[in-house]
Amino acid sequence: MPPRRAPVVVAAPDSFKGSVTAAAAAAALARGARAAFGPDAEIVELPLADGGEGTLDALLAVWRREPMTVETTDALGRPRTARCVVSEDGRVGVIEAAEGNGLPHVSDVALRPLRADSRGVGAIARRLLDDGVEEILLCIGGSASTDGGTGLLTALGARFVDADDDAVEPGGAGLSAIRGVDLGGLHPRAATVRWRIAVDVDNPLCGPRGAAAVFGPQKGATDRDVETLDDGLSNLARVLGRATAADPNGLVERPGLGAAGGLPLPLVALFGAETLPGAQLIGDAVGLPAALARADVVLTGEGSLDSQSLGGKVVDAVRRLAPKSTAVVVIAGTVQLTAAQCREAGLTAAFSIARGPASLQALVDGAESLIEETAAQACAALGFPHSTHRTLGK
């Protein structure tokens, strides 16, 4: 009888928000798999993210790079030091936009939804352009601004002007006054690099599901502010449409352009930026497709496995990229999908780290060891070699 081959295991989780980073979760899953499969198992750790909070840390862990620091500003124009990262070959620069316009950095003062802008994000992008990157991967989420990306473009040298050719005031308050965009001073490389934007929502720019209506209140916007911001974003889309011969209605209605207060809008309209699900972009950046192609078992996970997990999040990206013969096991803080739903989604199994009744704080405090132990038990139950047949839900 031929000897049993040790399995190839990929540990590719998201963070367990509020308790364990993606890198720490991947390490815990790997320890559990090694306990079950033995020291000969080949285990690849690939911490992932969906483009929001924690994305930069996940990439730093996989790329084994130190962050680069940039002097920039927060969403209210106050100086701060932000982080970004450049790939080892110098080609790809990664920005977590919240480093320049994130809500946490302005939480010490009253929210100012009409003033907050994205200029700090543009300052980081300018530094990367100066350093010669060929591609900018912009991860958005957790923003304090609803300025349609005008701050970002302003930091790159663009001018958004009113009817008198004067620069409009920063933030969402000035959007309705914009009558034109002057690109004469634009950074010379801004339009030549490849822009890819990690978007984890499908909200359009304007309307009942738009940037202002859905996310504005989270940033302190009143009903009147929401109306002002929505009208301003619609006006900006018209101005950019005239400047680029793009269809303004197409910009207003395009899914995803409402993310981060409309931040993708000018990058898409002026530079042809691509908007893609964040988990897919991050997976590509860390080599997830190639890793999964070799895997016998993939362990993924997040804080809560529910229906939203299957709509563009990390678990969704993993299940879609994994070969049909690969066992895909989810380890989560809570599992809200039934066994039938898991099967329909193409998941081999899903396990909660909760061993029984426990407080949230207890689960948070012991999360790493619970992830490790649950992974060990799940892998032991699989055995190896094994045969799995997955049917990916439509």
Side-chain angles (χ1 to χ4, degrees):
M1 184 175 182
R4 300 191 345 161
R5 177 176 65 84
V8 176
V9 182
V10 174
D14 197 349
S15 65
F16 285 55
K17 288 183 173 56
S19 58
V20 180
T21 66
L29 291 173
R31 291 193 299 270
R34 191 166 286 109
F37 292 134
D40 293 333
E42 179 183 345
I43 301 178
V44 179
E45 296 177 31
L46 283 180
L48 299 175
D50 61 10
E53 179 186 358
T55 297
L56 187 61
D57 288 329
L59 285 172
L60 289 170
V62 176
W63 285 354
R64 302 184 186 279
R65 302 282 288 168
E66 290 296 318
M68 184 171 73
T69 57
V70 180
E71 296 307 312
T72 185
T73 55
D74 66 17
L76 298 179
R78 302 176 302 178
R80 67 170 263 98
T81 301
R83 302 178 307 154
C84 59
V85 65
V86 176
S87 60
E88 186 175 6
D89 60 10
R91 291 187 57 257
V92 181
V94 182
I95 301 172
E96 191 170 301
E99 290 279 318
N101 75 336
L103 272 169
H105 304 305
V106 293
S107 62
D108 59 318
V109 296
L111 294 174
R112 299 175 61 187
L114 298 181
R115 163 60 185 87
D117 69 17
S118 58
R119 189 164 188 147
V121 184
I124 306 171
R126 174 177 281 276
R127 170 66 182 277
L128 293 175
L129 293 174
D130 287 344
D131 287 351
V133 301
E134 299 173 18
E135 176 182 330
I136 291 180
L137 176 55
L138 180 60
C139 304
I140 59 180
S143 72
S145 59
T146 309
D147 72 342
T150 53
L152 188 159
L153 264 290
T154 299
L156 295 181
R159 290 179 69 242
F160 291 90
V161 298
D162 60 19
D164 296 322
D165 203 39
D166 294 325
V168 301
E169 61 180 302
L175 296 179
S176 292
I178 295 174
R179 293 296 178 268
V181 55
D182 177 2
L183 302 178
L186 189 68
H187 192 291
R189 302 190 64 246
T192 61
V193 300
R194 182 185 189 188
W195 292 83
R196 293 202 294 169
I197 307 172
V199 176
D200 63 355
V201 298
D202 62 359
N203 300 74
L205 186 68
C206 300
R209 294 188 63 250
V214 175
F215 305 112
Q218 302 170 12
K219 306 172 188 184
T222 64
D223 290 346
R224 185 172 181 178
D225 293 337
V226 166
E227 185 177 346
T228 297
L229 293 169
D230 195 67
D231 289 345
L233 290 170
S234 180
N235 175 64
L236 177 60
R238 288 193 295 271
V239 171
L240 291 172
R242 289 197 301 269
T244 62
D247 175 16
N249 290 331
L251 294 175
V252 166
E253 298 170 1
R254 177 169 168 168
L257 290 199
L263 188 65
L265 173 62
L267 300 174
V268 169
L270 297 172
F271 306 150
E274 305 166 68
T275 58
L276 293 167
Q280 177 183 331
L281 282 185
I282 305 309
D284 288 346
V286 301
L288 179 65
L292 292 182
R294 301 179 54 245
D296 298 299
V297 178
V298 57
L299 301 175
T300 186
E302 60 181 347
S304 176
L305 177 69
D306 53 35
S307 58
Q308 293 186 21
S309 304
L310 307 179
K313 302 293 185 180
V314 164
V315 170
D316 187 42
V318 168
R319 67 163 183 144
R320 291 185 179 279
L321 288 172
K324 293 186 182 300
S325 60
T326 299
V328 177
V329 178
V330 180
I331 308 295
T334 62
V335 175
Q336 299 182 38
L337 299 182
T338 66
Q341 289 173 320
C342 287
R343 287 194 300 272
E344 178 65 20
L347 303 175
T348 304
F351 299 88
S352 168
I353 65 172
R355 297 174 178 171
S359 68
L360 176 60
Q361 192 59 51
L363 292 176
V364 168
D365 291 343
E368 284 190 52
S369 61
L370 290 171
I371 292 169
E372 177 181 346
E373 176 63 22
T374 306
Q377 293 192 20
C379 290
L382 285 175
F384 195 83
H386 64 274
S387 176
T388 62
H389 299 281
R390 304 190 304 116
T391 302
L392 188 64
K394 299 295 185 182

